[in-house]
Amino acid sequence: MGLALSACGTVDYYAHVAKGQGELVVNRRDVSKVLRDPSTDATTRQRLALSQEARRFATDHLGLPDNRSYTSYVKLDRPYVVWNVFAAPRFSVSPVQHCFPFAGCVAYRGYFAKQKAQAEAARLEASGDDVYVGGVPAYSTLGWFSDPILSSMMRWDDDELASTIFHELAHQLIYVKDDSAFNESFASFVQEEGLREWRQSRGLPPQDDHEKTMDDGFTWLVMDLRDRLKKLYASGVGEQAMATGKQQVIDDFRVRYVQWRDLDWPNDHRYDAWVNGPINNARLLPFGIYDRWTPVFLALFRHAEGQWPAFYASVRQFARQPYAQRQKSLQQWLDSTSRPTAAPP
């Protein structure tokens, strides 16, 4: 009975994903045609023209795949293209994993319809898991399809639009099954360094470090919260004490956040809504995935003297290693990032 239900659920999910991806394929239009269409509004025209400049820069200067991805456009009838459902046991900060034939195992499950994501979240919550649902404006099919520019990406500023194209194309270039932190940290580094070079090529000044510094500080606070919860869950105390302790650790985090904000970032309240909203294990899962190994990739890039082909060759050496060996190698590099003379594994 359980296997039959599981199989049925899997079939239904893949049918939903196939339908959603199929709709994107059917509804995409070449950007060149959208730009020539007199009914296209000026803002969309400007954003799409910029996206194509970024697309060419990605190939010509960053060494990213030269294909049809991000040369078409899809106007959605919703604010996000998919909604990701994250889940974790009530007393664990480890995600409920979902495994797929081509992408491998990841810490979430994506749905093209918000109501389906919410229904899955309700099912997981009823079984006792902590859950979190987050909207996603863009994603990569890892080269299986020609990914389009989406209307959900149009509300971003110029930097975010261009750098997201770099990020998603990086996934198409190098992707390792069952290692989300490696994949996202790599793509995030390409995104950040690519944006730096993109702005330089356009004669723009370097980005203001204020936002990144504040974002890094907030991420550290959340990661510290996750570490404290992890220690609590490993303590072996009873369930009631565990539940009480969990809430206390979260309450203490909120106090530390206010102290940090008021000391370092007075009058900047951009994270208040997140901190004051519901916090559980699942809501912490996205943090740390995107930047865990970025210092390693920065060190590799510097070792390659800023040459993208040599950098990618070093990254592929990591990618070919078995998971355990790769984690060890990455940690060794992370521990020695202050020594720029280190050689790739």
Side-chain angles (χ1 to χ4, degrees), residues 1-62:
M1 179 74 73
L3 288 174
L5 287 173
S6 175
C8 180
T10 300
V11 170
D12 289 345
Y13 176 72
Y14 281 126
H16 166 72
V17 170
K19 180 176 181 291
Q21 182 61 46
E23 288 175 350
L24 294 182
V25 172
V26 169
N27 292 316
R28 65 189 179 190
R29 299 173 62 198
D30 284 347
V31 169
S32 58
K33 292 182 179 179
V34 179
L35 291 173
R36 292 195 302 268
D37 188 336
S39 67
T40 302
D41 65 88
T43 300
T44 301
R45 194 185 307 276
Q46 182 271 329
R47 309 314 310 291
L48 287 178
L50 178 81
S51 75
Q52 297 313 282
E53 293 176 27
R55 182 66 189 83
R56 286 190 292 273
F57 184 86
T59 297
D60 296 344
H61 297 277
L62 305 182

Side-chain angles (χ1 to χ4, degrees), residues 36-172:
R36 292 195 302 268
D37 188 336
S39 67
T40 302
D41 65 88
T43 300
T44 301
R45 194 185 307 276
Q46 182 271 329
R47 309 314 310 291
L48 287 178
L50 178 81
S51 75
Q52 297 313 282
E53 293 176 27
R55 182 66 189 83
R56 286 190 292 273
F57 184 86
T59 297
D60 296 344
H61 297 277
L62 305 182
L64 294 171
D66 184 9
N67 54 32
R68 295 290 298 165
S69 288
Y70 307 109
T71 62
S72 62
Y73 175 67
V74 174
K75 182 174 176 57
L76 300 171
D77 59 357
R78 54 191 188 271
Y80 298 106
V81 61
V82 295
W83 284 262
N84 284 342
V85 179
F86 294 87
R90 186 184 178 197
F91 298 127
S92 173
V93 292
S94 296
V96 174
Q97 293 277 357
H98 302 278
C99 300
F100 304 97
F102 303 110
C105 297
V106 295
Y108 55 84
R109 208 174 191 187
Y111 291 84
F112 285 90
K114 185 178 182 179
Q115 62 270 28
K116 284 187 174 292
Q118 291 173 329
E120 173 64 6
R123 184 189 70 80
L124 290 166
E125 192 169 32
S127 71
D129 289 333
D130 283 2
V131 299
Y132 167 64
V133 178
V136 179
Y139 72 97
S140 173
T141 60
L142 307 179
W144 289 97
F145 297 92
S146 297
D147 298 318
I149 301 289
L150 303 166
S151 58
S152 52
M153 302 163 64
M154 292 292 99
R155 62 179 180 268
W156 292 337
D157 63 23
D158 290 355
D159 282 352
E160 191 165 6
L161 177 60
S163 64
T164 297
I165 291 173
F166 305 154
H167 182 107
E168 302 301 347
L169 286 172
H171 282 316
Q172 294 188 20

Side-chain angles (χ1 to χ4, degrees), residues 159-289:
D159 282 352
E160 191 165 6
L161 177 60
S163 64
T164 297
I165 291 173
F166 305 154
H167 182 107
E168 302 301 347
L169 286 172
H171 282 316
Q172 294 188 20
L173 183 70
I174 299 175
Y175 185 89
V176 180
K177 291 179 68 172
D178 306 331
D179 197 341
S180 295
F182 178 87
N183 296 324
E184 295 299 347
S185 296
F186 164 68
S188 293
F189 172 77
V190 174
Q191 176 176 0
E192 292 176 10
E193 177 59 26
L195 178 60
R196 189 193 68 77
E197 295 186 12
W198 160 257
R199 289 182 63 87
Q200 186 178 52
S201 75
R202 296 169 70 82
L204 298 173
Q207 276 188 299
D208 184 352
D209 287 338
H210 172 93
E211 289 197 12
K212 186 177 188 313
T213 302
M214 187 176 184
D215 187 57
D216 288 347
F218 181 69
T219 298
W220 184 90
L221 280 173
V222 176
M223 296 296 289
D224 179 63
L225 166 61
R226 194 161 76 180
D227 287 344
R228 290 169 187 251
L229 287 172
K230 186 176 182 179
K231 290 178 182 177
L232 170 67
Y233 300 150
S235 67
V237 299
E239 183 172 325
Q240 185 56 51
M242 192 86 73
T244 302
K246 176 181 180 180
Q247 189 57 56
Q248 186 61 55
V249 169
I250 292 172
D251 290 342
D252 291 345
F253 159 77
R254 290 190 169 109
V255 172
R256 289 195 304 278
Y257 163 75
V258 171
Q259 294 171 340
W260 167 79
R261 182 200 64 197
D262 292 348
L263 178 63
D264 295 337
W265 311 98
N267 304 317
D268 195 326
H269 298 268
R270 69 183 67 187
Y271 299 111
D272 286 13
W274 192 97
V275 172
N276 294 326
I279 297 177
N280 62 27
N281 299 326
R283 204 163 188 224
L284 306 180
L285 292 176
F287 288 87
I289 293 177

